[in-house]
Amino acid sequence: MTDSSPRTARIDAMIVAAGKGERASQDIPKQYVPVAGKPMLRHSAQSLADHPMIDRIWIVIGDGQAETAKKAMSGIENYRLVTGGDTRQQSVSNGLAAITAGGGTDHILVHDAARPFLAASVIDRLLDALDAKPAAIPVLPTVDTTIRIENGLAAETLDRSGLWRVQTPQAFHFDKLVEVHQQTEKSADASDDAQLIRACGYDVAIVEGDDQLRKFTTRQDFADAALTTMIEIRTGSGFDVHRLAAGEDLWLGGLRIEHDKGLAGHSDADVLLHALTDALLGAIAAGDIGDHFPPSDEKWRGVASDVFVGHAVSLIRQKGATVHNVDMTLICEEPKIKPHREAMRSNIAAMLDIEIDRVSLKATTTERLGFTGRGEGIAAQATVTVGLK
């Protein structure tokens, strides 16, 4: 964001996900159809949850969709479900009423679940624009030749320099959006909220949108996404070593293991998670674990290393990327890793929010050679693959 000063405004986000998506010709409402390995709703919800300025997320769903929505949102905290209405406008009004009953907010982002790939940079630009105007929307220019059709035939060509494509999320001062919804006929059904607020005389700022924010409408959109969603593959690697010492707990892969020695370090010294963190950061060229969690900072003393992994994953998501898989190796003579391997894999799968069959963990020795062979320490290495949209 352009302003480095701290914000005091409370900011909530609403995802409108109450539609049936009949034009998409899917067996379930399109917001729950998998896209790039996850329910479509989950992608934008995760982007909003990871953004540091968003306080709460409200998901407006169709009647009877609560269990499906909860499954799609598994692992995301600080969200609430609201039952929508028969039209998009009624659904947004229900969401605004729920937020008001929940104490209200200062600013609100209203987003369509059918636009899954939401970049943090778009959110930043919208929030910046609210400093000067009561509303802001992301737009992109119309690049194709655009014509008017009359009686089923091509008529004149329109000047596309003044035509722009509108996307979501759209950002508003909360009190202004509540006001215009209260003034609008309940039978109306505006296709977006910016129309309503502009009709009531308020200025609407525009910010740069994002090509990845395209709307999923038809079955072909889902087919195309399978081919084009991941446009870049990156790999990151990490390596770490910690000394074994008496009197320390032994943590590996987020699991406490009974052993006569533990790993010494500033945090809990989980060597496997440290290597994994460096691999995640390396995949997006975001430095190393010491840059983000310097050992000279006392607040990281004794902290659980899954905090480091979680931070790296959030940075990856802020780039609109997804962790595909991870391959790790522990190097030690003792303890034996095999009895604990599945529990470690399960822990790490949960940290990365991926299926366990995408988490590989192996163990090896150095045939009694070197510091690991002498039982002086444990080493770990990790390789991750990340897909950028």
Side-chain angles (χ1 to χ4, degrees), residues 111-127:
H111 186 50
D112 291 335
R115 298 182 188 270
F117 302 126
L118 172 58
S121 57
V122 175
I123 300 174
D124 291 343
R125 291 193 287 270
L126 288 167
L127 296 181

Side-chain angles (χ1 to χ4, degrees), residues 143-311:
V143 295
D144 295 323
T145 297
T146 304
I147 64 171
R148 190 174 63 83
I149 295 177
E150 185 176 317
N151 298 324
L153 299 173
E156 72 271 19
T157 299
L158 302 177
D159 179 8
R160 65 184 181 220
S161 64
L163 300 177
W164 296 76
R165 295 175 285 150
V166 178
Q167 301 179 313
T168 69
Q170 299 179 353
F172 306 92
H173 291 183
F174 181 72
D175 58 344
K176 299 295 191 298
L177 188 59
V178 170
E179 173 192 329
V180 300
H181 268 267
Q182 290 174 344
Q183 292 178 5
T184 304
E185 291 289 335
K186 297 299 182 183
S187 59
D189 186 24
S191 62
D192 71 1
D193 298 282
Q195 295 179 41
L196 300 181
I197 205 162
R198 185 174 175 274
C200 288
Y202 292 111
D203 290 337
V204 178
I206 61 169
V207 303
E208 181 186 357
D210 190 325
D211 281 324
Q212 291 298 322
L213 262 177
R214 67 186 184 87
K215 188 175 182 179
F216 282 59
T217 302
T218 68
R219 178 181 287 274
Q220 188 60 44
D221 292 330
F222 289 88
D224 292 343
L227 299 175
T228 63
T229 295
M230 297 303 173
I231 61 174
E232 182 180 358
I233 299 296
R234 292 191 182 183
T235 301
S237 64
F239 179 81
D240 196 33
V241 173
H242 277 281
R243 176 175 56 87
L244 284 165
E248 300 282 353
D249 290 333
L250 178 58
W251 288 90
L252 290 173
L255 186 70
R256 186 178 180 276
I257 297 174
E258 292 296 331
H259 193 55
D260 61 346
K261 294 180 181 179
L263 292 172
H266 188 65
S267 62
D268 66 1
D270 190 323
V271 67
L272 183 60
L273 295 190
H274 291 187
L276 174 58
T277 301
D278 268 347
L280 292 165
L281 294 171
I284 55 171
D288 61 31
I289 192 171
D291 295 327
H292 297 264
F293 305 97
S296 57
D297 192 334
E298 281 299 306
K299 73 178 179 181
W300 305 122
R301 182 172 294 281
V303 73
S305 294
D306 61 356
V307 172
F308 307 154
V309 175
H311 174 72

Side-chain angles (χ1 to χ4, degrees), residues 48-72:
L48 291 164
D50 288 339
H51 196 281
M53 299 305 300
I54 305 299
D55 295 296
R56 296 179 298 183
I57 302 174
W58 304 77
I59 313 293
V60 184
I61 61 172
D63 189 29
Q65 295 179 2
E67 291 307 312
T68 305
K70 289 177 183 177
K71 184 177 180 180

